[in-house]
């Protein structure tokens, strides 16, 4: 099988300054992986012709596919095409049909006459394959020189993604007789180091399919990847690997190829016809924010209370003052009462609560940073998960606590121990 290697070169000083994030490289890498092209290098270069030329000289020696984004516009610093053509000895040729398309685009969409400097966008390398741009003014293109395929794409992400889907993927698919398929096994409850230690023997003996761990802020993803001559063949290789890993990790796995814990919770709530409410203290509404970011959630989410003050815990959620006086705001008893209060106030079948000390200092009773309690009130009773998350950064504790709250909901809805 022929295997291609690619380098992605993003052009733009704004990327180096950190003014924008290079999402194009991520999206192109994912698309190339799906068609069996190995991406081994990402490079970012400012709007400087000499530095871009230097990057191209390096890339052409180690990759047989070079994909650039950015620098195809009409302004003085949009010099990607000119620099690439100079580096590869390709003359630029004016495409009169593209000039006419640009004039029409400006008349219909901008309601003005096309500025003269846009004509340079219709100049493309001699003999190239043209990639039209229905959502912008900069066409892309591809050419082959010395066995290296060079593809130029616009920088704006929406334009790039449209061209990637319509032109680049079909172009690259014709070059490769392999496909790469991956499945993400999403887990919560084990950190990256324990997960790596647990899975080390399995991972070290695997090549194709392969298995790798990727740590997210509050969870770990295992990616199983196979390369084969077809999607069906790759899937057949992956099926036993995914089953083996999910069986081995058991309750730590909350889904395969799912977006997030909150997405799993919302799906389960919809399937079971149940509603949810939240009561949060130290997380400041993060659980509610994550749930309400999902479309269609109004069918299952009743609402929430951010009871940051003790008085709000008592006055709004109805936590008995006797519990607050005896056990404090950060306690199992209070977490249970908060969940029961949220369930009562909203009428939801299930309510989850979070109370804890996110830091940087202990609370007024001396409860140390990282102590958190997750309460869950349900038709089957009220439960609590006590946590000691350690002395971490405040935002890290809040993220972990919100994940634990969602995990408690997920486990209850799937009949697992909380």
């Amino acid at each position: 099988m022929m295997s291609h290697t690619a380098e992605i070169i993003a052009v733009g000083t704004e990327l180096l300054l950190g003014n924008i994030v290079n999402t194009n490289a991520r999206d192109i890498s994912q698309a190339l992986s799906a068609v069996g092209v190995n991406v081994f290098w990402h490079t970012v270069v400012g709007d400087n012709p000499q530095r871009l030329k230097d990057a191209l000289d390096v890339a052409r020696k180690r990759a047989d596919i070079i994909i650039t984004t950015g620098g195809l516009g009409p302004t003085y610093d949009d010099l990607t095409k000119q620099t690439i053509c100079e580096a590869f000895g390709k003359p630029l040729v004016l495409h009169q049909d593209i000039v006419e398309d640009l004039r029409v685009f400006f008349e219909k969409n901008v309601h003005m006459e096309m500025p003269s400097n846009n004509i340079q966008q219709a100049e493309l390398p001699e003999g190239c394959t043209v990639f039209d741009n229905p959502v912008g003014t900069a066409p892309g293109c591809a050419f082959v020189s010395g066995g290296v395929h060079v593809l130029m794409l616009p920088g704006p992400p929406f334009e790039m993604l449209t061209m990637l889907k319509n032109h680049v993927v079909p172009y690259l698919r014709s070059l490769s007789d392999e496909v790469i398929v991956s499945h993400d096994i999403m887990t919560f409850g084990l950190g990256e180091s324990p997960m790596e230690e647990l899975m080390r023997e399995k991972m070290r003996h695997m090549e194709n399919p392969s298995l790798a761990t990727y740590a997210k802020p509050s969870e770990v993803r295992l990616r199983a990847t196979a390369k084969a001559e077809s999607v069906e063949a790759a899937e057949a290789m992956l099926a036993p690997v995914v089953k083996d890993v999910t069986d081995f990790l058991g309750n730590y796995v909350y889904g395969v190829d799912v977006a997030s814990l909150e997405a799993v919770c919302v799906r389960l709530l919809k399937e079971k016809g149940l509603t949810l409410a939240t009561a949060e203290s130290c997380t400041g509404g993060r659980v509610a924010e994550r749930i309400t970011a999902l479309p269609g959630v109004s069918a299952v989410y009743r609402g929430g209370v951010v009871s940051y003050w003790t008085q709000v815990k008592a006055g709004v959620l109805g936590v008995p003052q006797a519990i607050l006086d005896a056990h404090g705001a950060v306690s199992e008893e209070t977490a249970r009462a908060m969940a029961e209060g949220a369930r009562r106030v909203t009428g939801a079948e299930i309510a989850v609560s979070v109370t804890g000390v996110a830091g940087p200092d202990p609370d007024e009773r001396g409860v140390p940073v990282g102590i958190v309690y997750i309460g869950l009130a349900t038709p089957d009773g009220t439960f609590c998960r006590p946590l000691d998350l350690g002395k971490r950064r405040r935002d890290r504790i809040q993220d972990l606590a919100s994940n634990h709250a969602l995990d408690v909901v997920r486990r209850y809805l799937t009949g697992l121990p909380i």
Side-chain angles (χ1 to χ4, degrees):
M1 289 185 179
M2 179 182 294
S3 183
H4 293 278
T5 60
E7 178 159 351
I8 300 168
I9 302 177
V11 182
T13 302
E14 67 275 13
L15 293 167
L16 293 174
L17 294 174
N19 294 337
I20 60 173
V21 178
N22 188 14
T23 58
N24 283 345
R26 175 201 64 197
D27 295 335
I28 294 170
S29 287
Q30 290 174 347
L32 266 59
S33 176
V35 295
V37 176
N38 301 303
V39 179
F40 288 160
W41 301 277
H42 283 190
T43 300
V44 179
V45 184
D47 297 304
N48 181 285
Q50 186 57 52
R51 285 194 283 273
L52 174 55
K53 200 170 180 181
D54 293 342
L56 290 166
D57 287 341
V58 172
R60 68 195 302 180
K61 294 173 185 174
R62 63 188 185 185
D64 61 352
I65 297 173
I66 299 173
I67 300 180
T68 69
T69 64
L72 301 184
T75 59
Y76 72 94
D77 58 348
D78 288 315
L79 300 171
T80 297
K81 264 187 307 187
Q82 294 88 329
T83 304
I84 290 176
C85 285
E86 184 180 338
F88 284 89
K90 286 277 187 180
L92 281 167
V93 176
L94 181 66
H95 290 241
Q96 196 59 46
D97 58 327
I98 296 177
V99 174
E100 295 308 313
D101 289 343
L102 288 171
R103 292 191 197 281
V104 172
F105 181 90
F106 273 89
E107 287 174 8
K108 286 188 174 181
N109 297 282
V110 190
H111 307 295
M112 61 177 284
E113 186 177 337
M114 181 188 74
S116 59
N117 61 353
N118 282 89
I119 291 177
Q120 76 178 41
Q121 294 182 297
E123 295 178 341
L124 296 171
E126 185 178 56
C128 71
T129 299
V130 180
F131 300 154
D132 72 281
N133 184 352
V135 293
T137 61
C141 64
F143 66 84
V144 185
S145 176
V148 178
H149 294 263
V150 181
L151 290 77
M152 289 179 259
L153 310 181
F158 182 63
E159 295 181 34
M160 191 286 299
L161 280 170
T162 302
M163 195 173 293
L164 182 68
K165 177 183 176 182
N166 292 347
H167 297 288
V168 176
V169 169
Y171 180 95
L172 294 176
R173 188 174 282 126
S174 69
L175 304 181
S176 178
D177 52 7
E178 295 178 314
V179 296
I180 299 174
V181 177
S182 296
H183 289 303
D184 288 336
I185 303 165
M186 306 300 294
T187 74
F188 177 70
L190 280 176
E192 184 179 23
S193 294
M195 178 67 75
E196 196 276 335
E197 186 174 345
L198 190 64
M199 300 297 297
R200 183 181 300 142
E201 287 304 309
K202 287 183 180 294
M203 293 189 295
R204 63 187 283 192
H205 297 297
M206 296 177 65
E207 290 186 7
N208 187 27
S210 63
L211 189 65
T213 60
Y214 299 88
K216 297 180 73 177
S218 298
E219 57 191 45
V220 177
R221 175 184 66 190
L222 291 100
R223 172 165 287 181
T225 303
K227 180 181 285 190
E229 68 278 3
S230 67
V231 172
E232 292 76 16
E235 291 285 11
M237 295 164 65
L238 285 171
V241 174
V242 172
K243 184 178 187 306
D244 181 43
V245 172
T246 53
D247 287 349
F248 182 71
L249 293 176
N251 296 346
Y252 290 118
V253 176
Y254 70 79
V256 177
D257 296 329
V258 294
S260 60
L261 260 173
E262 54 268 31
V264 171
C265 289
V266 168
R267 175 179 58 79
L268 290 169
L269 287 164
K270 288 180 177 179
E271 288 175 0
K272 295 179 179 299
L274 299 173
T275 55
L276 175 71
T278 55
E280 303 180 65
S281 183
C282 66
T283 45
R286 289 197 185 198
V287 179
E289 179 187 25
R290 290 172 61 175
I291 292 171
T292 55
L294 301 172
V297 75
S298 58
V300 295
Y301 183 64
R302 288 288 179 88
V305 177
V306 179
S307 54
Y308 213 70
W309 275 23
T310 301
Q311 294 94 318
V312 178
K313 291 179 177 67
V316 177
L317 292 174
V319 177
Q321 191 63 46
I323 287 179
L324 294 168
D325 290 341
H327 304 284
V330 181
S331 64
E332 177 172 337
E333 291 79 5
T334 296
R336 288 172 175 268
M338 286 171 62
E340 290 168 353
R343 185 168 181 248
R344 182 175 58 252
V345 168
T346 63
E349 284 91 358
I350 302 168
V352 65
S353 68
V354 187
T355 183
V357 183
D361 302 311
D363 75 353
E364 64 276 3
R365 286 181 173 241
V367 177
V369 173
I371 297 299
V372 175
Y373 296 91
I374 310 294
L376 187 73
T378 76
D380 303 307
T382 303
F383 311 91
C384 183
R385 177 187 287 183
L387 300 167
D388 185 350
L389 302 178
K391 191 171 175 56
R392 305 168 185 260
R393 281 199 337 250
R394 180 179 178 84
D395 61 331
R396 181 85 168 114
I397 289 173
Q398 291 173 320
D399 285 341
L400 276 169
S402 64
N403 257 32
H404 275 283
L406 292 163
D407 187 55
V408 164
V409 174
R410 190 262 306 186
R411 285 172 173 264
Y412 172 75
L413 293 172
T414 51
L416 295 171
I418 291 172

